[in-house]
């Protein structure tokens, strides 16, 4: 880092903390020459995490896509924007933790389903019907059966 006061390239990191929900890090530095302190924000040069689609095309990981997929499924459901944010953050963190370079897109879909299952069954089935494109009516009915059972279970729990 170049000291903004004297231009020296020698400094010491005094404090380093990650910025929540991002891969950026905030660092407090002290110039070794003039002893003045300054703060830097650093983010890794876009680690290009790639998503591998079912037809093997690759595209850069885009958290906005996850967000809009979930948002669409949750439309008009009693789900707060913060809840959606939280889901997206969890998914992103899990993916970043588990995958280094490439993520199969199918896995992202499954993770979204997993989260929605825990939040709202209507949103779940909406997302599932788009994502899984239920090949036939039997698959769809199977999924509905599973939902009905789960729904009943949740009702008795309340
Ligand atoms: Zn300095």
């Amino acid at each position: 880092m170049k000291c903004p006061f004297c231009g020296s390239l020698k400094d010491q990191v005094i404090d380093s903390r990650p910025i929540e929900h991002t891969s950026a890090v905030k660092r407090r530095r002290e110039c070794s020459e003039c002893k003045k302190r300054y703060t830097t924000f650093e983010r890794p040069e876009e680690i290009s995490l790639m998503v591998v689609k079912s037809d093997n095309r690759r595209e850069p990981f885009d958290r906005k896509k996850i967000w809009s997929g979930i948002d669409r499924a949750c439309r008009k459901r009693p789900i707060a924007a913060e809840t959606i944010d939280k889901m997206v953050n969890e998914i992103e963190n899990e993916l970043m933790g588990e995958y280094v370079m490439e993520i199969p897109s199918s896995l992202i879909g499954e993770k979204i389903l997993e989260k929605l299952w825990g939040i709202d069954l209507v949103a779940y089935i909406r997302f599932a019907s788009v994502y899984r494109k239920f090949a036939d009516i039997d698959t769809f009915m199977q999924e509905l059966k599973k939902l009905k059972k789960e729904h009943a279970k949740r009702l008795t729990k309340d």
Side-chain angles (χ1 to χ4, degrees):
M1 269 318 140
K2 195 170 167 184
C3 169
F5 303 103
C6 73
S8 163
L9 292 173
K10 280 186 218 139
D11 69 76
Q12 221 183 345
V13 175
I14 307 164
D15 184 40
S16 183
R17 60 185 63 186
I19 299 166
E20 218 181 335
H21 305 322
T22 70
S23 48
V25 178
K26 187 175 163 179
R27 292 210 162 95
R28 195 76 186 133
R29 294 169 178 272
E30 186 183 272
C31 173
S32 308
E33 303 279 339
C34 71
K35 302 291 175 202
K36 284 195 175 121
R37 294 186 173 187
Y38 56 98
T39 304
T40 54
F41 294 92
E42 290 160 47
R43 38 182 308 138
E45 196 169 333
E46 263 342 292
I47 311 167
S48 48
L49 196 56
M50 299 300 277
V51 176
V52 187
K53 321 253 282 187
S54 50
D55 58 4
N56 272 329
R57 273 185 304 128
R58 284 165 170 72
E59 60 177 40
F61 175 79
D62 185 356
R63 120 184 210 112
K64 272 183 285 184
K65 282 198 177 150
I66 299 185
W67 209 96
S68 63
I70 295 182
D71 184 52
R72 211 174 306 130
C74 292
R75 201 148 292 166
K76 296 205 172 136
R77 296 297 301 158
I79 301 168
E82 297 94 77
T83 309
I84 299 181
D85 268 341
K86 195 168 157 264
M87 275 189 270
V88 177
N89 286 333
E90 283 173 8
I91 291 171
E92 193 180 18
N93 288 341
E94 286 168 22
L95 293 172
M96 296 291 179
E98 292 163 22
Y99 290 83
V100 186
M101 299 295 285
E102 294 184 340
I103 316 170
S105 63
S106 57
L107 193 114
I108 299 179
E110 293 304 324
K111 280 210 183 283
I112 293 176
L113 283 173
E114 198 183 288
K115 301 289 172 197
L116 288 175
W117 179 260
I119 300 281
D120 187 274
L121 292 179
V122 173
Y124 170 88
I125 192 72
R126 279 187 193 153
F127 188 84
S129 64
V130 175
Y131 169 70
R132 292 213 170 112
K133 297 191 190 81
F134 298 124
D136 51 60
I137 193 89
D138 288 340
T139 332
F140 184 62
M141 293 310 278
Q142 262 168 27
E143 194 73 22
L144 278 184
K145 238 192 230 161
K146 191 174 96 185
L147 273 185
K148 244 178 128 174
K149 230 168 109 187
E150 178 64 21
H151 182 62
K153 211 167 89 192
R154 287 183 193 189
L155 280 181
T156 51
K157 232 192 277 172
D158 290 340

